[in-house]
Amino acid sequence: MKTPSSVGFSHRHAGHCESGVAASLLSHAGLPISEPMVLGLSGGLTFVHLSFVKIAGFPLTSYRMPPGAIYRGLGRAIGVRWQTERYARPELGAQGLDQHLAAQRIVGAQTCVYWLPYFPPAMRFHFNGHNLIVYGKDQDDYLISDPVFEETKRCPSADLTRARFTKGALAPKGLLYFPREVPPTIDYAAVIPAAIQRTVNAMTRPPIWFLGLRGMRTLARRIERMPEKIGPAATKLQLGHIVRMQEEIGTGGGGFRFMYAAFLQEAGERLNRDDLREASRLMTQAGDHWRQFALSCARYVKDKDAGDTQAAVAALRQAAQQEASVYRFLSPR
């Protein structure tokens, strides 16, 4: 089987998978939109630390809403209607994907990173929330636009099917999605303030203690007690996992803060608002603190901090404090 790859689709390198996929799918459908605007309008920025939900055996720490929330949240914000499909069996999922490609339709897919052979071995990880675009098929290879890579990739059909139907937390169940109805334009003056307020509320008024700013401060207290409570070896494993989720997997700690800063900058330009430009500068500083937190965790893991987690704890508390200042600045006066 061969489906044309020349469907007018242009691969776009992006900072993170789902926001990059959503931006590419909508731009291809005739509604140009940047990746930072996708993140901001979707309300995708958050923080959560769940000790009772495990990823690869460790507590889930995430810096964004769960897989699927970004493209769905964007749809609610600007009026995009998405077609989503899940399949009971892998063979049905492969058949459904081939039918879309035969109809010249590019589709987003949720997959597991570990089973995608074009990922370098060091980057493979059992994470089921990775999003990519399938835009064609050549013999037994699917043609992939994976936004975290600078160039398009090829993936054998058996490997992509396995990645789409892996088991475990966030199991994709063969998920495919694409925009079915797209508005001709976006009323930025209406949707930007509403989206910002949703994020402010989610971060400053979370209903439970492991979300938003409360979740950041909770994690800081836990890291402070980790060496004494679970021992240095287990602490290294936990901090290493947190850094991996922040910097390598699609939860994007510092990266999503920088992207949200880019959203605020673009919003300021579109609405000609200096306050949003200033908020962008403040959020960039929050991203810097998150990167310092990751560096301090890595130093502990590599025995460069004399067994002391205080540097990591201080950086995390500074990140929380800086984000709090951003949300106060963005709150209605």
Side-chain angles (χ1 to χ4, degrees):
M1 174 183 179
K2 185 170 184 176
T3 60
S5 59
S6 55
V7 292
F9 173 73
S10 298
H11 172 71
R12 294 168 55 173
H13 180 55
H16 294 279
C17 63
E18 187 180 341
S19 50
V21 165
S24 289
L25 288 175
L26 290 182
S27 296
H28 178 73
L31 185 66
I33 188 170
S34 69
E35 184 187 8
M37 190 59 66
V38 167
L39 175 68
L41 295 184
S42 70
L45 189 79
T46 191
F47 179 85
V48 58
H49 176 71
L50 298 175
S51 59
F52 50 86
V53 175
K54 299 295 193 292
I55 297 292
F58 296 99
L60 170 65
T61 303
S62 183
Y63 308 80
R64 49 152 286 184
M65 297 296 285
I70 288 179
Y71 73 82
R72 290 196 300 265
L74 179 66
R76 289 190 295 270
I78 66 175
V80 174
R81 297 190 66 181
W82 296 93
Q83 176 78 29
T84 60
E85 299 174 359
R86 296 184 189 270
Y87 301 88
R89 301 193 303 276
E91 58 270 23
L92 295 178
Q95 181 181 2
L97 175 56
D98 288 347
Q99 289 173 347
H100 285 303
L101 297 176
Q104 303 277 300
R105 182 179 297 120
I106 68 171
V107 293
Q110 184 179 330
T111 64
C112 175
V113 170
Y114 187 82
W115 301 112
L116 297 173
Y118 58 81
F119 268 79
M123 292 179 62
R124 293 184 196 171
F125 186 69
H126 286 285
F127 176 67
N128 291 339
H130 183 64
N131 288 259
L132 50 81
I133 291 173
V134 187
Y135 68 94
K137 190 175 186 181
D138 183 7
Q139 302 304 321
D140 193 47
D141 286 347
Y142 286 108
L143 307 180
I144 305 295
S145 172
D146 192 317
V148 302
F149 289 90
E150 294 185 2
E151 299 177 348
T152 58
K153 301 293 181 181
R154 300 173 73 96
C155 183
S157 61
D159 292 311
L160 183 61
T161 298
R162 189 170 191 179
R164 291 176 58 207
F165 285 90
T166 186
K167 305 294 185 181
L170 306 176
K173 300 178 182 177
L175 175 65
L176 299 177
Y177 58 94
F178 58 91
R180 189 176 66 207
E181 295 181 17
V182 179
T185 58
I186 300 173
D187 184 358
Y188 286 106
V191 299
I192 285 174
I196 289 174
Q197 192 57 50
R198 285 197 302 273
T199 296
V200 169
N201 290 341
M203 292 299 295
T204 61
R205 302 181 181 92
I208 38 186
W209 51 266
F210 48 74
L211 297 176
L213 296 174
R214 293 175 67 187
M216 294 183 201
R217 291 164 179 147
T218 296
L219 178 58
R221 290 193 295 271
R222 289 187 170 179
I223 292 175
E224 195 169 33
R225 298 193 297 263
M226 273 184 190
E228 180 178 353
K229 188 173 181 179
I230 64 176
T235 299
K236 289 180 182 179
L237 291 175
Q238 291 228 20
L239 294 186
H241 177 74
I242 289 172
V243 171
R244 187 171 212 180
M245 294 296 289
Q246 176 178 328
E247 300 298 330
E248 295 183 16
I249 309 302
T251 57
F256 266 120
R257 270 58 189 174
F258 292 131
M259 192 186 298
Y260 198 79
F263 156 69
L264 293 171
Q265 178 67 29
E266 183 177 343
E269 298 300 326
R270 287 187 177 276
L271 304 185
N272 193 25
R273 286 178 52 178
D274 288 336
D275 61 326
L276 295 181
R277 298 185 185 101
E278 175 62 14
S280 172
R281 185 186 68 81
L282 296 174
M283 184 58 83
T284 298
Q285 293 177 355
D288 290 337
H289 289 306
W290 277 110
R291 289 287 162 86
Q292 183 58 51
F293 167 67
L295 177 61
S296 297
C297 288
R299 287 180 60 84
Y300 180 91
V301 170
K302 295 180 179 180
D303 292 320
K304 294 185 177 181
D305 271 342
D308 189 353
T309 62
Q310 288 307 306
V313 171
L316 180 51
R317 286 175 172 155
Q318 287 175 333
Q321 181 178 347
Q322 183 64 27
E323 285 201 33
S325 71
V326 177
Y327 306 131
R328 284 195 301 271
F329 187 83
L330 289 170
S331 297
R333 292 169 174 79

